[in-house]
Each structure stands twice: as structure tokens, then as C-alpha cells.
């Protein structure tokens, strides 16, 4: 991500969050489809994660629409709300990473499936990438 967007930065931040929350939502489906014999508790947990990511994605889309309607005139209050949403997205991704690591450690079908482990590691790397983007944005705003 480039950081020369000036007054468009709030929209760029939201674009990143919109993309990555949708990716994470899809990742829950990928895991369920790849590991057909996944324990029911993890299947249910992944469905809950899918719902949570869909809700976050929709919230991000609402903010994108608000920023677009503001025609570049983002108020300080709206900008703070965007930063709070970005922080929430970061925390959600971090919790999902922890969940994926738990899956790899505790799920027998995953531990017996090398492909599933590779895919889960890839999913973790992608969520970590988003966290890096979100942290950069949040830390830049502290000064």
C-alpha cells in the first residue's frame, strides 16, 4: 500500500479493510471445503467466523459509502470512527489467526492433511499482511 493518498487516505484504508475482510470470509469457506471431515465444533466456529467477517465487511462498505458521499470532506469524528473500525478489523484478524493456529494444533483431520496445513499457513500470512497494513495506518495517526 502506498501512503501518498493525502485526503483520500481514509478511503484507501477502507478499501484495504473491505478487500481483506471479504478474503477472510472466503477463507472460512475454503477451510470447510478443503477439510471435509473437520470436527463439527470447528465447522460451527468457522461458520460463526464467516458471519462475523460478513458483518464487518458490510460495516466497512457503509463507511466507504459515507466517505464517498462526503466528497473528500471527512470530518475529524468520521476519521476517528474509521480509525476505530480499522483497529477492530486488526483485532478481528489477529483473533482469526489465533483460531487458525488452534485448528492446526488441535484438529486431527488438519494435522493429518499436509495440504490443509499449507493452506492454513497461507491464510495466516494473508491475515498478517492485513494486520501490517492496519498497524501502519494506525501508528501513523498517533503523531
Amino acid at each position: 500500500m502506498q501512503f501518498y493518498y493525502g485526503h483520500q487516505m481514509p478511503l484507501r484504508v477502507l478499501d484495504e479493510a473491505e478487500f481483506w475482510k471479504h478474503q477472510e470470509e472466503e477463507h472460512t469457506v475454503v477451510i470447510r471445503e478443503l477439510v471435509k471431515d473437520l470436527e463439527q465444533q470447528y465447522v460451527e466456529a468457522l461458520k460463526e467466523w464467516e458471519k462475523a467477517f460478513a458483518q464487518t465487511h458490510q460495516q466497512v462498505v457503509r463507511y466507504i459509502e459515507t466517505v464517498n458521499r462526503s466528497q473528500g470532506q471527512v470530518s475529524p469524528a468520521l476519521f476517528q470512527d474509521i480509525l476505530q473500525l480499522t483497529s477492530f478489523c486488526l483485532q478481528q484478524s489477529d483473533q482469526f489467526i489465533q483460531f487458525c493456529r488452534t485448528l492446526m494444533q488441535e484438529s486431527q483431520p488438519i494435522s493429518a492433511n499436509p495440504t490443509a496445513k499449507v493452506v492454513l499457513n497461507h491464510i495466516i500470512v494473508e491475515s498478517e499482511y492485513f494486520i501490517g497494513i492496519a498497524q501502519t495506518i494506525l501508528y501513523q495517526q498517533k503523531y
Side-chain angles (χ1 to χ4, degrees):
M1 179 170 145
Q2 301 298 317
F3 293 97
Y4 50 76
Y5 293 96
H7 75 280
Q8 291 294 324
M9 182 55 86
L11 191 55
R12 182 67 174 125
V13 168
L14 291 168
D15 283 345
E16 287 288 338
E18 190 271 335
F19 175 79
W20 289 108
K21 292 296 122 180
H22 183 68
Q23 284 294 110
E24 289 172 324
E25 180 183 350
E26 288 181 344
H27 288 158
T28 66
V29 176
V30 168
I31 296 166
R32 291 194 323 261
E33 291 297 316
L34 178 64
V35 187
K36 292 291 188 185
D37 55 345
L38 187 62
E39 294 93 343
Q40 191 60 35
Q41 71 200 50
Y42 296 128
V43 170
E44 294 305 318
L46 284 164
K47 288 178 181 178
E48 290 301 315
W49 275 109
E50 182 181 9
K51 288 178 195 173
F53 287 133
Q55 290 171 346
T56 303
H57 180 259
Q58 285 304 311
Q59 187 174 9
V60 170
V61 168
R62 284 192 299 272
Y63 273 88
I64 289 171
E65 291 169 359
T66 300
V67 171
N68 280 332
R69 288 186 189 111
S70 75
Q71 299 176 349
Q73 302 301 315
V74 175
S75 70
L78 176 57
F79 189 72
Q80 286 304 310
D81 287 348
I82 291 168
L83 292 178
Q84 286 178 348
L85 178 58
T86 303
S87 180
F88 174 81
C89 289
L90 180 155
Q91 292 168 11
Q92 186 181 51
S93 293
D94 188 53
Q95 291 169 356
F96 184 61
I97 288 168
Q98 298 310 315
F99 173 75
C100 288
R101 288 186 174 136
T102 298
L103 277 178
M104 291 191 344
Q105 292 171 353
E106 296 180 5
S107 171
Q108 178 58 38
I110 289 175
S111 64
N113 183 336
T115 302
K117 288 191 261 185
V118 168
V119 169
L120 275 160
N121 278 318
H122 179 76
I123 287 168
I124 288 168
V125 166
E126 287 197 348
S127 288
E128 286 174 338
Y129 178 81
F130 171 70
I131 288 173
I133 290 169
Q135 284 176 331
T136 300
I137 291 160
L138 293 170
Y139 294 155
Q140 278 188 336
Q141 302 310 313
K142 303 286 186 208
Y143 301 103

